[in-house]
Amino acid sequence: MTSTATMPRTETMMLNLGPQHPSTHGVLRVLLELDGELIVKADPDIGYLHRGIEKMCEYRTYHKCMPLMNRLDYLAGEVNNFGFCLAVEKLLGVEVPKRAQYIRVMLAELTRIASHLFWLGTHGHDLGAMTPLFYAFREREKIMDLCEMVSGGRLFPLYFRIGGLAADLPKGFIEAAWDFVKTFDEKWKDYDTLLTKNEIWIERTKGVGVMTPEEALDWGWSGPMARGSGVDWDLRRDNPYSSYEDFEFVVPLGKNGDTYDRYLVRMQEMLQSNRIVRQALENLPDGPVKVDDPKVSLPPKERVYTDIAALINHFLIIQDGIRPPKGEVYQAIEAPKGEMGFYVVSDGSPHPFRLKIRGPSFVVLAALDKLSRGRLLSDIIALIGTMDIVLADVDR
Amino acid sequence: MNAAVALLQAKFPEEVVEVTEFRGDTTVTVKPERLKDICLLLRDDPETSFRYLSMIAGMDYSPESPRFGVVYNLYSHRYKNRITLKALLKDDRTPTVDSVTEVWSTANWHEREAYDLLGIRFKGHPDLRRLLMPSDWVGHPLRKDYPLKGK
C-alpha cells in the first residue's frame, strides 16, 4: 500500500496596511497579498482624503479657489498656488512684474527645501533612522518662520495672488532669508553624514524600487522620481516660467533608478534650491508686486478708502470675481514632488468651468504595485517613503 | 506642436475636427473612434515623440451635447513641447471611449478616476473600478447634475 505524501497546501495571505499607519504618511490603505513575507500584489486603496476640491472650485470665484489649492500639497505650501496663479494668469494673458516673479521663485524654492526636509525626516524615520528627523525639522522651522513672516501662515501661506503678490515683502524678511541661505549649506552636511554612507541605510535603499528611464516616463513619473532614474528633465529649466531662465542651477540626476539614487537626487536638489534663493536675494529687482490691471489686481488699500473708483473696483473684484476670457489652458510647474499641472477651463464667468489638478503624488503612487511585486514587506515602506507622497495631493 | 498638427492632418484627416491655439497652447479635437491609433502615432512617430502622458481629464459639458469629453495632455521630452488632445464622446447616457493604458501605463489611474467621478467608460481598461470614492458609491460626483453637498 503506497502512502501518498501530501504537499502542505499553501495560500497567500491578505494583509491590510490600513489607512491608520505611522508609515503611510497619511491615510493610505494598501491591500497586500503576501506569500510569506514576499509581496504578490499591492493594491493601493486611496480616497480617504478626497475632499472634492475640483468640484468645489466650480462653485467659487478664482480667488476663493486659492485656499483650496493651498491644501493640495500641504508640505510645499506656496508651490500649489504658484501653479494655480500662473495658470489663471496665462488664461487672462497678464504678465506679473519682475519683482513679484523673483519673490515667487524665492518662496517656491524655500518651500521646496521645506518639502524635501520633511521627506528626509519621515523617510529616514520609517526606515529606522530616527535622528535625521530632528535635524531636518530644525531647518524646516526656519523656513516656516519665513513663510509666517510674509503671510501669517506656516503650512498654508496665502501670499501669492492672481496678478502678483498680496503685498511687498515685510521688514526683516530679507535679513532672515539671508541668515537661512548662509547657514543652510553647513547644516545640510549634518544630514549627509548621518545617512549617505550609513551601512544600514544603503542596505535598505540600494536596489529597492528600480525603474528604468523608459518605464519612468511610461508611468508618468516626473521630478525627483524620474531624475533618480536618469531622465534629464526639469520643467524649471526646459519650459521656464516666472523668470526661472534668469537663474543658474544644476539639475542632479541619478544613475540606477533605485531608492538610494532618489535620496541622493533630493539631497542635491536642496543645495541647488538654496543656490537659487541666494541668486534671487542678490538680484532682487525693485518695482511693483502686482500687475497694474484694474480687472485683475486689487487697488492699494489707501486709495480704496479715499477714491470712489478704487472702492468700486475693490468691491467688484471681491464680490463678483475676475472674469477670464473663454478658453482653456494647461500650466505645469516643477513642484517638489514632480510635475504639478492645472488644467483650467473658463467659460467667461467668474467661476472656473472645470479645474483639473494633476497631482504628482497621484501619478507616482500608481506604480506601487509594479515596484513592490516580489519584494519583502519592509520594502513597501521604503517605496512609499521614496515616492514622497502627500495624500492630500493624491486624493484632492 | 505644429508638427503634430501637420502629422495628424496628414495621417488621420477624417478624424481631426478642430485645431485651436490659445495663449500658446495647441488643442486638437479629434473624433473618438480611432483615438488609440492617434495616440500610438503621436507617441511613436519621431517627429512628435509624445512619450509622456501628463493627465487625462474627464469633462462634462452640460448642458451642451455631446455632453462628455476626454482631454489628454501630452508632453514630448525630445522637443520640449506639449499638445492637448480632446475627444467628445457620442453617447450622452453611457459615454465610452477606448482606453489608452496600452499606450501609456500611467493612463490606468487617470481613466479610473474619470470613470469614478464622471462615469466615462474606457473599453479595454484592465481594471476599471472606482478609485477615489468608496467602492459601493452610487453616482458620479463630478457630473454637473450631481449636487455639491452630495446625496
Side-chain angles (χ1 to χ4, degrees):
Chain A
M1 202 145 122
T2 51
S3 65
T4 45
T6 46
M7 279 297 293
R9 196 172 65 102
T10 59
E11 54 185 36
T12 55
M13 178 177 86
M14 297 296 287
L15 183 69
N16 189 41
L17 195 65
Q20 290 126 327
H21 191 285
S23 298
T24 54
H25 301 296
V27 280
L28 169 67
R29 176 174 178 236
V30 187
L31 272 158
L32 292 166
E33 197 179 326
L34 296 172
D35 174 18
E37 211 183 328
L38 294 172
I39 298 175
V40 172
K41 185 164 188 267
D43 181 26
D45 177 16
I46 61 175
Y48 287 87
L49 201 48
H50 178 66
R51 295 151 292 175
I53 286 186
E54 292 179 6
K55 183 144 184 105
M56 280 200 277
C57 285
E58 293 176 11
Y59 291 80
R60 295 170 161 226
T61 63
Y62 286 88
H63 280 104
K64 291 187 184 154
C65 291
M66 293 201 308
L68 295 179
M69 297 297 112
N70 250 351
R71 276 129 181 99
L72 282 176
D73 176 3
Y74 46 68
L75 297 175
E78 288 289 19
V79 173
N80 314 294
N81 267 318
F82 196 8
F84 179 69
C85 289
L86 282 173
V88 181
E89 284 153 16
K90 190 171 172 183
L91 201 52
L92 289 164
V94 298
E95 175 98 4
V96 169
K98 219 46 173 164
R99 183 178 171 84
Q101 287 184 0
Y102 272 55
I103 296 176
R104 278 181 171 183
V105 166
M106 189 163 39
L107 282 169
E109 293 306 312
L110 282 171
T111 40
R112 185 186 309 272
I113 300 175
S115 172
H116 283 342
L117 285 171
F118 195 97
W119 161 83
L120 180 68
T122 50
H123 187 35
H125 203 266
D126 290 344
L127 298 183
M130 301 198 213
T131 318
L133 185 90
F134 299 98
Y135 288 87
F137 275 50
R138 178 187 63 190
E139 264 63 71
R140 187 171 168 266
E141 274 308 301
K142 291 214 192 106
I143 301 179
M144 297 285 105
D145 286 342
L146 287 170
C147 286
E148 193 179 352
M149 230 188 268
V150 282
S151 64
R154 287 160 41 101
L155 272 190
F156 305 121
L158 205 48
Y159 185 47
F160 295 178
R161 293 287 183 273
I162 297 170
L165 306 169
D168 208 332
L169 291 172
K171 231 181 348 194
F173 180 86
I174 303 272
E175 291 76 29
W178 268 120
D179 179 56
F180 176 81
V181 165
K182 288 187 177 142
T183 53
F184 181 69
D185 287 354
E186 269 305 305
K187 304 278 168 108
W188 180 88
K189 295 195 183 130
D190 286 345
Y191 333 133
D192 192 45
T193 44
L194 280 172
L195 287 178
T196 305
K197 296 208 173 62
N198 186 315
E199 238 183 273
I200 303 177
W201 182 256
I202 294 177
E203 272 297 317
R204 285 217 60 182
T205 55
K206 252 206 191 301
V208 176
V210 176
M211 279 285 240
T212 64
E214 295 76 33
E215 284 175 336
L217 290 185
D218 185 38
W219 280 92
W221 280 18
S222 49
M225 301 301 291
R227 290 197 279 275
S229 299
V231 177
D232 190 9
W233 179 41
D234 188 325
L235 281 166
R236 295 172 294 173
R237 181 198 61 193
D238 297 335
N239 298 84
Y241 48 92
S242 191
S243 295
Y244 264 109
E245 60 269 12
D246 295 350
F247 297 93
E248 222 181 271
F249 58 98
V250 164
V251 175
L253 294 176
K255 272 198 297 281
N256 307 316
D258 60 4
T259 303
Y260 187 66
D261 276 15
R262 290 189 279 268
Y263 155 78
L264 291 173
V265 165
R266 286 194 178 101
M267 291 291 279
Q268 289 299 317
E269 276 189 9
M270 285 199 264
L271 292 176
Q272 294 301 318
S273 286
N274 200 26
R275 201 172 153 194
I276 297 179
V277 179
R278 183 188 291 265
Q279 290 169 53
L281 283 170
E282 281 169 359
N283 306 323
L284 194 60
D286 291 321
V289 291
K290 278 192 250 205
V291 72
D292 190 19
D293 186 340
K295 288 205 271 305
V296 174
S297 305
L298 291 173
K301 254 321 193 341
E302 314 82 56
R303 281 192 43 221
V304 172
Y305 292 135
T306 51
D307 178 19
I308 189 69
L311 177 66
I312 295 172
N313 194 3
H314 180 104
F315 183 77
L316 280 176
I317 292 183
I318 301 248
Q319 253 323 85
D320 199 26
I322 54 174
R323 281 174 187 264
K326 203 160 179 241
E328 49 195 66
V329 291
Y330 181 81
Q331 173 70 38
I333 59 163
E334 182 78 23
K337 315 223 162 16
E339 174 197 340
M340 177 169 251
F342 292 87
Y343 177 62
V344 188
V345 179
S346 159
D347 56 355
S349 76
H351 307 252
F353 180 76
R354 171 90 162 98
L355 172 64
K356 158 93 181 142
I357 303 158
R358 190 256 190 212
S361 306
F362 177 78
V363 176
V364 164
L365 190 57
L368 185 66
D369 185 26
K370 172 192 176 331
L371 288 177
S372 55
R373 287 192 183 206
R375 298 215 66 99
L376 297 172
L377 178 59
S378 23
D379 288 332
I380 209 172
I381 302 298
L383 288 171
I384 295 176
T386 189
M387 286 182 178
D388 195 11
I389 52 170
V390 170
L391 265 301
D393 199 18
V394 173
D395 293 342
R396 282 155 285 130
Chain B
M1 289 168 288
N2 288 329
V5 173
L7 187 70
L8 284 177
Q9 280 168 336
K11 293 270 167 73
F12 292 94
E14 309 294 310
E15 310 295 316
V16 176
V17 173
E18 198 189 348
V19 177
T20 38
E21 282 234 16
F22 181 69
R23 307 277 191 243
D25 281 357
T26 308
T27 305
V28 182
T29 311
V30 295
K31 292 200 196 131
E33 284 79 30
R34 296 182 63 193
L35 187 65
K36 196 159 162 198
D37 294 327
I38 293 176
C39 288
L40 278 166
L41 175 72
L42 287 173
R43 184 192 73 175
D44 295 332
D45 192 288
E47 292 287 303
T48 49
S49 267
F50 286 116
R51 303 192 59 84
Y52 182 86
L53 173 69
S54 275
M55 63 126 202
I56 303 179
M59 303 291 298
D60 178 354
Y61 292 108
S62 277
E64 283 173 27
S65 179
R67 182 180 173 187
F68 290 99
V70 267
V71 179
Y72 301 77
N73 190 282
L74 310 175
Y75 183 80
S76 162
H77 287 77
R78 201 158 159 200
Y79 301 105
K80 310 233 187 290
N81 57 16
R82 285 187 187 276
I83 192 170
T84 309
L85 203 61
K86 209 197 296 200
L88 296 170
L89 309 180
K90 289 209 162 45
D91 195 338
D92 280 358
R93 299 278 318 273
T94 44
T96 321
V97 72
D98 285 333
S99 164
V100 294
T101 37
E102 288 177 12
V103 186
W104 300 283
S105 304
T106 181
N108 193 319
W109 270 30
H110 289 293
E111 290 177 348
R112 272 182 71 182
E113 186 189 337
Y115 167 68
D116 186 7
L117 298 179
L118 282 154
I120 299 173
R121 279 176 184 72
F122 292 88
K123 261 197 317 244
H125 190 282
D127 184 21
L128 195 65
R129 57 192 160 103
R130 287 195 181 268
L131 185 64
L132 292 170
M133 304 305 290
S135 48
D136 53 358
W137 198 261
V138 173
H140 300 284
L142 205 52
R143 288 190 176 184
K144 297 283 178 185
D145 52 1
Y146 196 93
L148 180 63
K149 294 277 165 78
K151 288 191 184 159

